[in-house]
Amino acid sequence: MPVPHRPVGAAPCASLIRRGRCPARNSCRLILIVALIATALIAFLNNTLPPLPKSFVSVITPSSTFAVTNSSHGDSIVFSVDSRNSALIVNSKVDENCQVKAIDTGNKKPDSSRTETHFKEGISGDGGLPAFTGREVPFWALPPDEALLYAKREIEHAPLLVDDPDLYAPVFWNLSVFKRSYELMEKILKVYIYPDGSRPIFHTPELQGIYASEGWFMKLMEESRQFAVKDPKKAHLFYLPYSSRRLRDAVYTPGSHNIKPLAIFLRDYVKNISSKYPFWNRTRGSDHFLVACHDWGPYSTTSHTELRKNTIKALCNADTSEGIFIHGKDVSLPETTIKEPKRPLKYIGGKRLSQRPILAFYAGLMHGRVRPTLEKFWGNDTEGDIRIFRRLPRRVSRNMSYVEHMKSSRFCICPMGYEVNSPRIVEAIYYECVPVIIADNFVLPFEEVLNWSTFSVVIAEKDIADLKKILLEIPLRRYLRMQECVKRVQKHFLWHAKPEKYDLFHVILHSIWFSRLKQIQMPPL
């Protein structure tokens, strides 16, 4: 058979392929590698380059109707621009909250119900159109003030939410607002914790006892990788990490009845950080906050005017009658009794109604103006429906402990002592007993989002004589709804070693975040 003609120097392609040396195949590999490197480089540059400045010259393609909408996708803020006309925009400015992205929308018209509002939001104060950056800008790329303005506007236009699998709608004033605000807090909020201050007053959380709320918050805040930030320029809030309980132990002279040294100590601390850092003076302390649960917490702020008037104070002693706690700005901090820090949820839970034979229960010291009156009217209830004790007698506690009394009562009485706050409010919620709160001028915890009338009874001090009548007049059906609400709201009052969504740490932080947003003034459109 004749041998087929083959050009000199040519090699069979099949043979070369088997050996991995086919030129065409090698070229394809090279092209693919180059393409992958280029793609990775582009992605890297897109993620690392800063956004364009707010004021610049931008050219937009010819023949446009300039339909502009504002929308958010995940955690990015985007403006969409449909452009067909040639236009030159000089010194146009981005809205206080947003960077801009241009998108060719073709002939599709934007939603007229949202376009006008968001177009106005995108116009700068001098009437210019929004600036064009050409790409989405995530929240972390926004300056802190702009991010807060954006969040406030988003909350004001929160989408309607009737129900949520993680939240029980009846206990909230406005579920839609809380849900949207909480989501934005998780995405946006960064807190700078001042490293200044010596132990044990600073950076030393106390996790046990009736003042444990301030310690647990401090511990979880300082451990937080989500909210705590090392760079103060990225912070939306600044935390003064002191313990009011440890300040009392370190500075107060027992028996002196003089708490002025506590206020002087905190005043000097604020003077120090305001001279060392620029952040306090920038807002006169209005973006700073403290968390204090000791009864003297409010009084430790009185020697520094800006600290008392401007700083957000999260206080257990949330008394509006003394002129220190500012209703609407300051935050009412729940007072939680933690007996075992390693098991903060010990004894949580309650009994069903059929196992609660006691109408109402209280046991404790009889100091202050309310408790002696309570004892006077109900200390010897002849019918035994209301049980009031100074301390549980040993003969009583031998058969039923303090916790079992609360779990066996339909209502748990929570009267103020020397101050308006009481740890019994949260104890009642822990044991699924409807709290009866007697403390005029007391701001209830989280009252800006929680509707306390759905899971508690608030009685004026002047109505203590009618306590039994008021409780007996609550219909059974309403009581069952209230107890169900107590069970559902309980998750918002629990401490966890590792914070969980919507738990006490997060809801306290949300109240502080929400207070800061309320202070933000929206720029005129």
Side-chain angles (χ1 to χ4, degrees):
M1 178 179 294
V3 178
H5 173 72
R6 185 171 66 231
V8 178
C13 190
S15 174
L16 289 175
I17 288 173
R18 283 194 299 271
R19 297 174 191 173
R21 291 188 284 115
C22 177
R25 185 172 182 178
N26 288 340
S27 297
C28 291
R29 284 179 177 174
L30 180 61
I31 292 170
L32 180 59
I33 291 170
V34 171
L36 289 173
I37 293 173
T39 302
L41 181 61
I42 290 170
F44 173 78
L45 292 176
N46 278 338
N47 288 329
T48 56
L49 285 178
L52 293 175
K54 292 185 181 182
S55 181
F56 63 96
V57 177
S58 175
V59 179
I60 298 182
T61 316
S63 69
S64 168
T65 56
F66 289 102
V68 181
T69 59
N70 179 14
S71 59
S72 62
H73 302 282
D75 61 351
S76 299
I77 310 161
V78 181
F79 272 95
S80 306
V81 182
D82 176 17
S83 54
R84 295 181 184 174
N85 278 334
S86 177
L88 178 64
I89 304 174
V90 183
N91 286 332
S92 61
K93 295 181 181 179
V94 133
D95 173 67
E96 286 298 322
N97 317 317
C98 304
Q99 298 293 340
V100 182
K101 180 179 178 181
I103 302 172
D104 184 6
T105 59
N107 294 322
K108 184 178 178 180
K109 295 182 179 179
D111 180 2
S112 60
S113 65
R114 293 181 58 85
T115 300
E116 183 177 359
T117 300
H118 294 298
F119 179 73
K120 288 179 181 177
E121 291 172 0
I123 293 177
S124 63
D126 58 2
L129 287 173
F132 171 68
T133 65
R135 60 190 175 87
E136 295 184 6
V137 179
F139 284 128
W140 54 260
L142 287 174
D145 290 345
E146 293 186 18
L148 292 176
L149 278 167
Y150 170 76
K152 182 165 185 172
R153 187 173 283 121
E154 282 290 303
I155 293 166
E156 288 178 352
H157 299 89
L160 180 63
L161 184 65
V162 178
D163 200 4
D164 185 273
D166 298 320
L167 299 168
Y168 191 56
V171 303
F172 290 92
W173 289 112
N174 189 323
L175 182 62
S176 305
V177 167
F178 174 74
K179 175 78 172 181
R180 186 63 180 136
S181 178
Y182 188 96
E183 289 173 343
L184 291 166
M185 178 191 77
E186 286 189 311
K187 292 178 180 178
I188 296 175
L189 180 61
K190 297 300 176 187
V191 177
Y192 180 72
I193 305 169
Y194 281 103
D196 305 72
S198 58
R199 297 173 183 271
I201 298 173
F202 296 88
H203 308 287
T204 311
E206 184 168 330
L207 305 179
Q208 192 171 16
I210 63 174
Y211 305 121
S213 288
E214 65 179 27
W216 275 85
F217 181 88
M218 183 191 298
K219 172 184 181 293
L220 299 176
M221 188 73 253
E222 293 195 322
E223 292 175 353
S224 175
R225 294 184 177 181
Q226 179 180 3
F227 297 109
V229 65
K230 298 294 184 183
D231 184 357
K233 293 179 182 178
K234 296 179 180 179
H236 307 90
L237 288 167
F238 296 80
Y239 175 38
L240 310 178
Y242 93 108
S243 165
S244 60
R245 169 63 185 271
R246 293 192 185 277
L247 175 61
R248 186 209 68 171
D249 293 346
V251 176
Y252 176 70
T253 302
S256 68
H257 304 290
N258 179 19
I259 61 176
K260 187 71 174 177
L262 283 69
I264 293 172
F265 181 92
L266 205 56
R267 178 201 66 189
D268 293 343
Y269 175 78
V270 173
K271 284 183 176 181
N272 177 58
I273 62 169
S274 64
S275 62
K276 185 177 179 180
Y277 305 94
F279 311 110
W280 180 281
N281 295 326
R282 188 177 58 189
T283 63
R284 301 299 179 190
S286 62
D287 56 359
H288 288 57
F289 72 93
L290 56 84
V291 178
C293 196
H294 191 271
D295 290 352
W296 295 350
Y299 315 123
S300 65
T301 68
T302 55
S303 289
H304 193 289
T305 303
E306 291 176 352
L307 177 65
R308 179 171 62 86
K309 290 185 176 181
N310 300 341
T311 301
I312 300 170
K313 304 183 291 292
L315 303 170
C316 287
N317 186 7
D319 187 346
T320 58
S321 67
E322 297 177 326
I324 303 174
F325 184 94
I326 302 174
H327 197 184
K329 178 183 73 68
D330 293 331
V331 171
S332 179
L333 180 69
E335 187 173 359
T336 56
T337 301
I338 302 297
K339 297 180 179 179
E340 296 184 27
K342 292 184 178 180
R343 299 177 60 194
L345 305 184
K346 188 177 181 180
Y347 304 123
I348 298 293
K351 299 178 180 179
R352 56 180 180 270
L353 178 60
S354 61
Q355 296 177 309
R356 293 180 179 266
I358 305 169
L359 176 64
F361 165 75
Y362 168 79
L365 299 177
M366 291 296 172
H367 55 259
R369 66 175 185 262
V370 169
R371 296 179 185 181
T373 306
L374 183 68
E375 185 184 35
K376 173 186 173 183
F377 283 102
W378 302 108
N380 294 296
D381 182 31
T382 55
E383 296 175 352
D385 294 327
I386 297 180
R387 300 187 185 181
I388 306 294
F389 301 96
R390 284 181 171 266
R391 287 185 181 274
L392 274 182
R394 187 166 296 179
R395 57 181 174 77
V396 176
S397 61
R398 229 183 275 127
N399 298 322
M400 187 183 293
S401 67
Y402 175 84
V403 171
E404 283 301 311
H405 267 88
M406 295 192 87
K407 292 187 176 187
S408 301
S409 301
R410 279 167 275 172
F411 297 96
C412 291
I413 304 173
C414 310
M416 66 174 286
Y418 288 127
E419 307 294 349
V420 292
N421 49 302
S422 170
R424 288 169 183 80
I425 297 174
V426 177
E427 286 178 347
I429 293 172
Y430 284 176
Y431 307 138
E432 298 171 7
C433 176
V434 176
V436 177
I437 302 163
I438 310 175
D440 293 353
N441 308 310
F442 178 49
V443 178
L444 295 168
F446 317 134
E447 68 160 23
E448 71 279 1
V449 293
L450 293 181
N451 181 1
W452 279 78
S453 67
T454 63
F455 59 90
S456 72
V457 179
V458 178
I459 294 179
E461 295 172 21
K462 64 181 179 59
D463 295 329
I464 291 177
D466 297 322
L467 173 63
K468 188 173 183 178
K469 177 175 177 289
I470 292 170
L471 298 181
L472 289 175
E473 285 179 349
I474 295 175
L476 176 61
R477 183 172 295 180
R478 183 188 166 201
Y479 174 82
L480 291 172
R481 286 198 303 268
M482 293 175 76
Q483 192 187 33
E484 179 63 22
C485 287
V486 169
K487 294 177 184 178
R488 297 298 194 94
V489 84
Q490 185 186 85
K491 67 185 294 182
H492 306 305
F493 290 87
L494 299 179
W495 292 112
H496 297 93
K498 293 183 178 180
E500 297 183 4
K501 197 177 182 71
Y502 302 121
D503 70 357
L504 186 51
F505 168 73
H506 284 102
V507 180
I508 292 172
L509 189 60
H510 175 268
S511 286
I512 297 167
W513 149 268
F514 201 70
S515 174
R516 178 59 184 147
L517 290 180
K518 285 193 290 186
Q519 298 176 45
I520 299 292
Q521 297 297 317
M522 300 294 290
L525 296 178

